[in-house]
Amino acid sequence: MDTIAFYIFAAIAILASLGVIGQGNPMHSVMLLIVSFGALAGLYILLQAPFTAVTQIIIYAGAIMVLFLFVVMLLNVPREEPVPVTAAGMLGPTAMKIGAVLSVVLAIEVVWGLSRLGPTWFSQDAEAAGVSSVSRIGNVLFTDHAFAFEATSILILVAMVGAVVIARREH
Amino acid sequence: MVPLNYYLILSGILFSIGTAGVFLRRNLITVLLSVEIMLNAVNLSFVAIGRYLGSVDGQIITFFVMTVAAAEAAVGLALVIALFRHRETLSPDAYTSLKW
Amino acid sequence: MSALIPSPTIIAHLALIFVVFNMLVMSAAFMVWLERKVCAWIQDRHGPNRVGFEGLLQPFADVFKLMMKEDLRPKAADAALFAIAPIISCITAFAAFSVVPFGTETTLFGLLDEPIPLQVTDVNVAVLVIFAIASMGVYGIVLAGWASNSKYSLLGGLRSAAQMISYELSYGMALAAVIMLAGSLSLREIVLNQSGYWFGVIPKWYVFLQPIGFFIFMTAGVAETNRAPFDFPEAEQELVAGYHTEYSSMSFALFFLAEYVNMVTVSAVATSLYLGGWLGPFLPDWLQWIYFLIKVFLILFFYVWMRWTLPRYRYDQLMEFGWKWLLPVSVVNLLATVVLVLWIG
């Protein structure tokens, strides 16, 4: 049951990501990325991390993607002819040639390296599964990582002010 | 049950798709979307390995990665808007020269 | 062959999902009738009273009429997004109700071996799930505005989306204050924490501990569901019909269904968080969902009453209220709750 769910979510994530980079309409790219985030949230639930799954939907799919959507609508981003997924298409200008080849090499290396590991199973004891409780995450976040937490809040403030200043229309 | 390396392989494939997107797309916004794909792939690795080791730190790091991704997306999109106002185009090729 | 017959628990769960789904659809139909009747009484006239007793069959007549209409699509509209926008609105509206509890555990008079709780599912991060699904509801409206390829729709869609994401912050802070009082994110736990009475008479509902929080939550809820006095994005007088201008027939009906189901969900969450869910004095355990229905109905009546009594906010007033007034008040409310929880313990 878990295995079937994993394969379904993995297939949705990969196909949606290929759709994001492979098709021309930018609005559709944004929506496909939201689908990919939803599939990843499903995978987080399979990994017994419900808090991360819900945070993924709230922050990524619910806030960051709305930002992208607004910018795409504001700039009226034109439809772009996607690079045809053929050998002739990808071996275009030099940068793309090198880039496409490097990405494929990266994918092959990672997949080959990881499949050389024997199947490493997750531990099934209740203690390991209990890491996901929200109170435990909150505990660790506010005690061991309190400095990083506070620094992140300043980071967000700076980013917010910076974004408003950079995107402001010059008068 | 799904072993750990399936999750890592999926993460690797998603990361490569994101990298390919950064190289192959000629549109600044889609480049930023591909960067988001890469960040998500890394998040998946963290959560999977955190579950494998029975540690909650995987999810903590994910929390920070998401927050930093939000900040970076905001500033990146503001930059794209500011650049678009100058050159009226979103192709990265228009920004290859430093001279305005 | 007996392996194909699912266990009674699974049948009970499926029946529960079926009942909840139909209840939501019927409540949306009931809301259509309630809105028109209450509007009529406030405006000193009868409402619909031809179709059925006191007009109770009016919603069904409306749905029938809408089904008979032609399903239009503007030529320059983005077909995929145009079709999918009302579907997203509806899915998020219904999905958010899946974690709302409406009764104690029941064994259905001994038919089942183990008691099932009267809700679709119980996750231990239920409040966050509601928040997440509410933030996904923005997409239905934005895509409807964009895909219609018309300036009224686009303006309405963008304004509505900006309003929804602005009021989500206060919504979340009010939620955080209640979570702190209850110590758990599961809605069932929050309701169970409100059982009992002070001095034997006043029930221990959170509305008495958090009156400002209740006000903030209801205001943010009204703004989230795009209802008056915050319904500028679909104001008939200003924007034709806002983001659903170009929709007709069943797609339009889906948007309205989504709006009413959103209202029901916000009311149900508000009763679970602040008004004690299904808890009430005299009825036995297996009938206490009646109290839940009564409380939700009271909040829905209040919603409708507000719509036809209060004037509409202008858009900049709306945004200013959300950011400059409601958000600081909700932060102060949260801080006050923290101080009280730490002090009283």
Side-chain angles (χ1 to χ4, degrees), chain A residues 41 43-54 132, chain B residues 47 51 59:
Chain A
L43 284 171
Y44 291 149
I45 294 184
L46 282 176
L47 282 169
Q48 273 139 356
F51 181 70
T52 310
V54 184
S132 63
Chain B
V47 174
R51 170 77 174 90
Q59 297 184 45

Side-chain angles (χ1 to χ4, degrees), chain B residues 35-46:
Chain B
V35 171
E36 297 295 329
I37 299 179
M38 288 199 274
L39 284 168
N40 264 291
V42 166
N43 270 347
L44 180 64
S45 289
F46 273 125

Side-chain angles (χ1 to χ4, degrees), chain A residues 25 27-28 30-31 34 50-51 54-55 57-58 60-67 69-70 72-74 76 132-134, chain C residues 78 80-81 84 88 123-125 128-129 131-133 135-136 138-139 142-143 145-146 154 157-158 161-162 165 168 185:
Chain A
N25 189 339
M27 283 292 264
H28 290 181
V30 173
M31 297 314 293
I34 295 174
F51 181 70
V54 184
T55 319
I57 300 282
I58 295 178
Y60 262 117
I64 298 182
M65 283 300 121
V66 171
L67 189 59
L69 206 66
F70 268 61
V72 167
M73 289 197 288
L74 175 69
N76 211 0
S132 63
S133 73
V134 181
Chain C
D78 189 338
L81 295 180
I84 221 176
I88 294 182
V123 231
N124 58 348
V125 285
L128 286 182
V129 166
F131 194 61
I133 296 179
S135 59
M136 292 297 289
V138 175
Y139 286 111
V142 169
L143 288 179
W146 171 257
L154 184 61
L158 286 178
I165 49 185
E168 262 171 24
L185 283 169

Side-chain angles (χ1 to χ4, degrees), chain C residues 237-249:
Chain C
Q237 292 85 355
E238 273 90 9
L239 281 175
V240 186
Y243 60 89
H244 49 78
T245 312
E246 303 286 341
Y247 282 86
S248 66
S249 170

